[in-house]
Amino acid sequence: MASIFEQALGRDFGRLHPMLQKRFGVDTAAGYACVGRGVFSEVRRGAWWTVPFLRLGAYRNILFPDQCENVPFTIENYPYVDGLGRPTVTFVRTLELPGSKRRRFDATMVYSPETGGIIDYLGTHQHLATGLILEVLPDGSLHLRSTGQRFYEGFIGFAFPAAFTGTADLYESFDDARRVFTIQMQVRNPFLGFLFGYRGEFTCTFPATPPEGAPHRLRPVREERRQ
């Protein structure tokens, strides 16, 4: 079975750099995960008025208000089948900040047959869901752009107005000369401007998928059916 990214990209998946094909080919049928370790040369946030928004995001491992340089991090992509029967991949980034402070971004991604794209559930409880637009660039790198965000909790569900959310642009590539993956991401609001971003590089290992799939420490506390 094709990975969720191969399903979303279709024939364009073959245009990705071979190392990105392996990285985004993670799937239960493939039998391996992808664990990246590296350094963010820069983690930064927007102006002071963005801090309350970022602090709120930190409560559920979505965003955080810290900014610093040369931050060691790990990104763990493990495939598993969630409780709703959906092939799922974890995208959990753990940052080791100065002063022994640790921050996490939690995300789980699934393929949506309805939209033909990826649904990215953010945070520990999948409260936020956003669609992802995937684009393979001429150099074989991958561009992911988020679409509108939806909030789900119990019977409540609504789409955020653009004024109260941010659009994320993420770029991943592979540097053949140095044999490293490079990554850069920024989140912008149409009115407040830049909210949050990082850039860095990392190397990957591809361990065999454990029998239970993704370790439970990487899985969300609850799963959301709505997209």
Side-chain angles (χ1 to χ4, degrees):
M1 180 179 293
S3 73
I4 62 172
F5 286 94
E6 187 171 357
Q7 292 180 70
L9 282 168
R11 295 176 64 179
D12 280 348
F13 188 81
R15 296 176 48 233
L16 284 172
H17 187 285
M19 291 302 295
L20 288 179
Q21 289 185 41
K22 183 165 186 178
R23 170 158 163 65
F24 290 98
V26 167
D27 181 74
T28 53
Y32 69 89
C34 178
V35 178
R37 294 180 176 86
V39 174
F40 286 133
S41 57
E42 179 183 53
V43 177
R44 61 192 184 100
R45 59 169 170 78
W48 62 269
W49 58 76
T50 66
V51 173
F53 175 81
L54 298 174
R55 287 190 183 279
L56 181 63
Y59 179 63
R60 288 290 169 84
N61 289 355
I62 300 173
L63 295 170
F64 59 83
D66 307 83
Q67 54 183 354
C68 43
E69 297 179 345
N70 300 320
V71 180
F73 76 94
T74 302
I75 180 167
E76 297 176 274
N77 305 120
Y78 278 85
Y80 69 104
V81 177
D82 72 6
L84 301 171
R86 301 175 298 189
T88 306
V89 179
T90 66
F91 275 75
V92 175
R93 287 139 290 188
T94 304
L95 284 71
E96 305 292 342
L97 299 176
S100 299
K101 182 189 295 185
R102 176 175 289 183
R103 294 285 197 186
R104 265 178 57 157
F105 292 109
D106 284 22
T108 41
M109 298 188 187
V110 303
Y111 173 73
S112 169
E114 291 80 8
T115 67
I118 299 293
I119 303 298
D120 187 8
Y121 291 102
L122 304 175
T124 55
H125 290 64
Q126 294 193 345
H127 282 313
L128 294 180
T130 183
L132 295 181
I133 298 173
L134 279 60
E135 176 188 16
V136 180
L137 301 181
D139 63 354
S141 60
L142 181 64
H143 173 212
L144 288 77
R145 182 176 178 84
S146 67
T147 60
Q149 289 183 354
R150 284 83 66 191
F151 176 85
Y152 299 122
E153 173 57 39
F155 63 88
I156 299 173
F158 61 87
F160 279 101
F164 298 101
T165 188
T167 298
D169 279 283
L170 183 144
Y171 296 86
E172 282 205 28
S173 61
F174 188 79
D175 187 318
D176 284 300
R178 297 186 300 123
R179 306 300 296 172
V180 296
F181 293 87
T182 66
I183 185 170
Q184 56 179 320
M185 188 274 286
Q186 65 172 0
V187 180
R188 301 185 66 87
N189 176 276
F191 301 102
L192 297 177
F194 176 80
L195 296 178
F196 181 82
Y198 55 73
R199 57 187 175 92
E201 59 185 44
F202 58 99
T203 58
C204 286
T205 57
F206 300 93
T209 306
E212 71 276 15
H216 286 282
R217 63 181 175 81
L218 302 177
R219 301 192 188 196
V221 174
R222 73 174 183 92
E223 296 170 341
E224 177 56 58
R225 183 182 300 275
R226 291 165 289 183
Q227 299 183 0

